[in-house]
Amino acid sequence: MTAVDPSLLSNPRSDGVRQVAALGRRAARDRQGRFLVEGPQAVRELLRYAAPAAAALYVTDAALARHTDIGRAARDAGLEPRRCTEQVLAAMADAEHPQGVLAVARRVDVPLGEALDAVGTDGFAVVLAQVRDPGNAGTVLRGADAFGASAVLVSDASVDVYNPKVVRSTAGSLFHLPVTVGVPVEELLAACRSRGVRLLAADGSGRTMLPHADFGRPHAWVMGNEAWGLEESVRALCDDVVAIPIQRAESLNLAMAATVCLHASASARA
Amino acid sequence: MTAVDPSLLSNPRSDGVRQVAALGRRAARDRQGRFLVEGPQAVRELLRYAAPAAAALYVTDAALARHTDIGRAARDAGLEPRRCTEQVLAAMADAEHPQGVLAVARRVDVPLGEALDAVGTDGFAVVLAQVRDPGNAGTVLRGADAFGASAVLVSDASVDVYNPKVVRSTAGSLFHLPVTVGVPVEELLAACRSRGVRLLAADGSGRTMLPHADFGRPHAWVMGNEAWGLEESVRALCDDVVAIPIQRAESLNLAMAATVCLHASASARA
């Protein structure tokens, strides 16, 4: 007979495990106001930059032994790591390889006004108008972080930033800078305008080429949809429509275009 | 009793279908010297830029009716589209949604000398030293194409460019510029050097910041591994090690870094 270890979660079909696993779906995330943070690197960033949002931490014994800093950071944040079996962790996770570490976090988005305060009079931001692909959205967040953007404003027509695939592809950037979600794009753009934020639509149809763009301060890049770009009605709300000079049409995807635009903003500031 | 249509491939378990499906695996690609090109956009680019490499085209009736240009382009290239059922197409494909169009192509890579001839005395290239992720490799190829690189040199330690995921993420760029594969990275770098191609390692450890880098002509960007960057022995073979100025460490992935570097090369040329 095997001794039962009461501190080890071992039943992948328990209600608690199901409740965590449900966070892979948007309806459950919206209902619980929580989301999944998977893998040691993302959990590390959560505990480092947004510890008050961490609601629970699940780890296998092997992962806890390997990443002693994570257990320590969790306890510093008043969170006792919950030991679980590989099977329980796999049942909770959306990722194929969560590497034995998974956290549940409360939402980290901020109100629009707070995000715009962060942009202030000298910063720059990025607006996701209608970005649907999780990998692209995550990469844009990561680029915003890398190049020192002050905020990311995500419209209600874009992918849920708490989608586990988005969270994974931000590689922790979701916890590094203010992110606003769920606002219609027209409202986002009107709010930017009212604060004097210059709106630059990034779109292959633009007649202003990136090297000639007037960034001004503050400014925001407005990124459209992967397949059809920015809707005419959204472009019309922007101060300028800017294209990246390329050799061949349709050869940049949205994440690459955003990377180049955000790098240009960082370079213009430097 | 259903009438049998002899021109319609309808058995997903036939030998012919299995032989195509096997191209999802590297061993079969190496043995057959062929690879999968999936979806209407990629097949269009194949027929437009590398028609002699197209060995077979499989389409559903619905896709053929929707993309009449593909049927026409295939026949212009002397290739009769082979009609097949949705089930047969799904059995052949690696993609989840091949959209009813799939081609089998012969390899399109060129000898190293030919790629270096394309770089000549005024071009620039990118070297994939140890890029393992298919999406990253595909995105780098796409960026090389977008920003007018003359060639892509892929070492034998990198992912197979004929992996269906790489082919998909190049979005046709694989057919737009000369690509060399299967050469050890030391040989690639030695060959570049012998032609006077300046070697710039892209690595976060670099002490030269991108805005201060001396591109020179011709030059090549050397991209390392997603997780650990470039090995010291490879960096030592380069003329300079260049870092992208960022606000936070580890916040750019390999594809983003390559995009920024290639954009800088294009801008320096312009």
Side-chain angles (χ1 to χ4, degrees), chain A residues 142 145-146 148 176 247-248 251, chain B residues 142 145-146 176 247-248 251:
Chain A
R142 203 169 163 171
D145 183 27
H176 293 166
Q247 304 288 317
R248 218 179 294 270
S251 44
Chain B
R142 203 168 162 172
D145 183 27
H176 293 165
Q247 304 289 317
R248 219 177 293 270
S251 44

Side-chain angles (χ1 to χ4, degrees), chain A residues 204 226-227 244 246-254 256, chain B residues 41 44-45 48 142-143 145-146 169-173 176:
Chain A
E226 289 83 355
I244 298 167
I246 51 176
Q247 304 288 317
R248 218 179 294 270
E250 296 187 39
S251 44
L252 285 184
N253 67 25
L254 185 132
M256 297 165 81
Chain B
Q41 194 50 36
R44 219 170 249 132
E45 300 295 301
R48 185 161 168 202
R142 203 168 162 172
D145 183 27
S169 53
T170 70
S173 289
H176 293 165

Side-chain angles (χ1 to χ4, degrees), chain B residues 66-82:
Chain B
R66 195 178 317 124
H67 306 291
T68 51
D69 64 311
I70 290 180
R72 209 163 40 235
R75 289 193 193 95
D76 286 351
L79 202 66
E80 187 58 31
R82 304 203 53 185

Side-chain angles (χ1 to χ4, degrees), chain A residues 96-120:
Chain A
E96 266 184 70
H97 304 289
Q99 300 173 69
V101 183
L102 181 149
V104 171
R106 287 177 280 272
R107 303 168 55 116
V108 293
D109 52 280
V110 303
L112 177 54
E114 192 176 325
L116 290 173
D117 286 347
V119 176

Side-chain angles (χ1 to χ4, degrees), chain B residues 200-248:
Chain B
L200 302 169
D203 194 290
S205 73
R207 277 190 287 180
T208 301
M209 288 291 135
L210 181 63
H212 308 297
D214 167 15
F215 294 112
R217 289 290 168 158
H219 69 264
W221 286 105
V222 184
M223 310 298 306
N225 179 270
E226 289 81 356
W228 63 81
L230 276 169
E231 287 176 7
E232 173 51 33
S233 61
V234 174
R235 281 205 303 271
L237 294 171
C238 294
D239 295 294
D240 201 357
V241 182
V242 178
I244 298 167
I246 52 175
Q247 304 289 317
R248 219 177 293 270

